[in-house]
Amino acid sequence: MRHLELPRQPLGFFPTPVHELANLGKLLGGPHIFIKRDDQTGLAFGGNKTRKLEYIIGRALADGADTLITAGAIQSNHCRQTAAAAASLQLPCHLVLGGKSPDSANGNLLLDQLLGAKIHWAGNNRKGEDIPRIEQQLRSEGRKPFVVPYGGSNELGATSFVEALCELDSQTFAMQIDFDHIVFASSSGGTHAGLMVGKKLLKKDYQLTGIAIDKVGSADKSLPQLILELAVSTAEFLKTGCGMDESDLILNKDYTGAGYGIIGPAEKEAISLTARYEGILLDPVYTGRAMAGLIGLIRKGKFKKGESVLFWHTGGAPALFASADELQN
Ligand SMILES: *Cc1c(COP(=O)(O)O)cnc(C)c1O
């Protein structure tokens, strides 16, 4: 494997902590629950995109880029972390956000503004459809823009999660724990694909369960297709010699609720239990839903007493403030 030779821009603080959620485990009466704190990566409130951006922006700088462009939803954590990375490197950052300019900015959008990003409103095009036009415009102005892919999910982004699993492996070796399951939010595919490749490379036998956040993948691909294709291309990109197929992919689609970003009773319960029993804040879009999935699977008896489950906290808490109306008691 050659990923250590890839250009990389340090942006976060690693390794992120791993610890047990003993109160929540006791409350639910099922397996031991552990958590991997990628909400603590340190880049402007942290999150899983910090890892991906180290490799992606490493590439951008090696290519001589002087401007970053990326896209996402109005409360995108990916966009906020890209804006923070750009600020730390003193690169202009253009964000193409779905929807239209709200009367007042909150949550991640407020942070995007504080971090100095230039925001372009894209209406229904929340997955970066407008990027080529903006890129063209910047080129015509003599800039060298670099497009950070949607959700940071390309081979470089996924590579950071191959490495994250190696990071976890040395932590669990030191702690002398073995997990039976790893559970995480799966949305644009990079986290999931990287973990799949990492698991194969390290020859681990824990089960990786992605909780699907969105009912849809991209315009032309389903989410499972997207994840598997990225896992295959990442395994090739890193010259791992690992073949990846459908049997490597577990994506649970039972917890997508009323759709992307729509908070239901399950997300509310997961956010509230994790806050009250562990003092840990989840987010309303991704980790709240993924934890709802974990709780649901424990209640269904899928994860059993005596087993150990790791919940990968991928960040996102700034979006809580943008959902204040729905989350208030
Ligand atoms: C982006 C994001 C995810 C999903 O990661 P993908 O690699 O896009 O699947 C999960 N949680 C949070 C908080 C995120 O911002």
Side-chain angles (χ1 to χ4, degrees):
M1 196 173 82
R2 300 196 328 178
H3 77 271
L4 295 176
E5 295 163 30
L6 296 169
R8 177 175 187 176
Q9 174 60 46
L11 296 168
F13 303 108
F14 301 103
T16 57
V18 179
H19 61 95
E20 186 168 3
L21 302 182
N23 302 331
L24 198 59
K26 198 167 155 203
L27 176 78
L28 296 168
H32 294 286
I33 306 173
F34 291 81
I35 190 167
K36 174 74 169 154
R37 302 294 302 272
D38 275 10
D39 59 323
Q40 303 290 322
T41 59
L43 180 67
F45 294 133
N48 64 338
K49 306 311 182 303
T50 308
R51 291 185 187 274
K52 299 174 171 191
L53 289 167
E54 290 203 342
Y55 285 99
I56 294 169
I57 294 179
R59 179 79 264 152
L61 295 176
D63 289 353
D66 63 11
T67 304
L68 300 178
I69 314 177
T70 199
I74 182 167
Q75 283 299 324
S76 167
N77 302 300
H78 164 67
C79 288
R80 181 243 314 154
Q81 286 164 90
T82 305
S88 76
L89 298 165
Q90 290 293 284
L91 299 173
C93 179
H94 292 253
L95 300 178
V96 184
L97 301 183
K100 57 183 174 38
S101 181
D103 294 338
S104 74
N106 204 339
N108 282 305
L109 178 61
L110 173 65
L111 302 179
D112 294 340
Q113 292 180 355
L114 291 175
L115 292 162
K118 165 88 179 89
I119 293 164
H120 305 262
W121 293 101
N124 289 330
N125 296 347
R126 74 171 167 99
K127 295 202 171 182
E129 295 84 343
D130 292 356
I131 283 182
R133 182 175 53 75
I134 293 160
E135 192 184 359
Q136 205 47 49
Q137 175 68 30
L138 288 164
R139 279 193 206 288
S140 74
E141 291 164 11
R143 312 285 317 179
K144 290 185 191 147
F146 185 96
V147 176
V148 177
Y150 182 75
S153 284
N154 60 5
E155 290 77 8
L156 289 171
T159 292
S160 74
F161 270 88
V162 177
E163 189 189 45
L165 211 54
C166 300
E167 174 185 303
L168 177 71
D169 201 44
S170 56
Q171 289 175 304
T172 52
F173 180 77
M175 294 166 81
Q176 304 226 316
I177 17 170
D178 256 331
F179 299 120
D180 301 288
H181 298 275
I182 298 180
V183 178
F184 50 92
S186 189
S187 178
S188 70
T191 302
H192 202 157
L195 292 176
M196 283 165 66
V197 176
K199 172 187 150 143
K200 242 198 185 166
L201 208 56
L202 294 168
K203 299 187 170 58
K204 289 288 169 183
D205 46 37
Y206 39 64
Q207 215 174 59
L208 296 174
T209 301
I211 305 292
I213 297 306
D214 207 336
K215 289 185 192 298
V216 294
S218 63
D220 54 343
K221 282 178 199 157
S222 71
L223 184 55
Q225 248 178 324
L226 211 81
I227 297 166
L228 188 56
E229 282 181 23
L230 184 55
V232 168
S233 61
T234 302
E236 280 169 12
F237 172 71
L238 294 174
K239 301 194 191 321
T240 59
C242 298
M244 310 293 303
D245 61 50
E246 272 118 46
S247 68
D248 297 308
L249 175 65
I250 304 172
L251 182 71
N252 185 309
K253 291 185 243 172
D254 296 342
Y255 297 93
T256 53
Y260 180 86
I262 301 174
I263 308 172
E267 289 83 24
K268 280 191 194 171
E269 185 198 23
I271 291 170
S272 159
L273 290 181
T274 310
R276 291 174 189 212
Y277 282 83
E278 297 292 347
I280 292 174
L281 298 167
L282 301 176
D283 82 283
V285 181
Y286 299 93
T287 53
R289 183 160 285 177
M291 182 59 91
L294 171 55
I295 293 170
L297 291 168
I298 290 173
R299 287 180 179 154
K300 279 187 195 167
K302 173 97 177 65
F303 302 145
K304 299 179 186 62
K305 231 184 163 68
E307 289 190 324
S308 293
V309 180
L310 177 82
F311 178 78
W312 206 299
H313 192 332
T314 45
L320 286 171
F321 301 103
S323 306
D325 288 348
E326 290 142 281
L327 293 169
Q328 275 172 85
N329 294 320

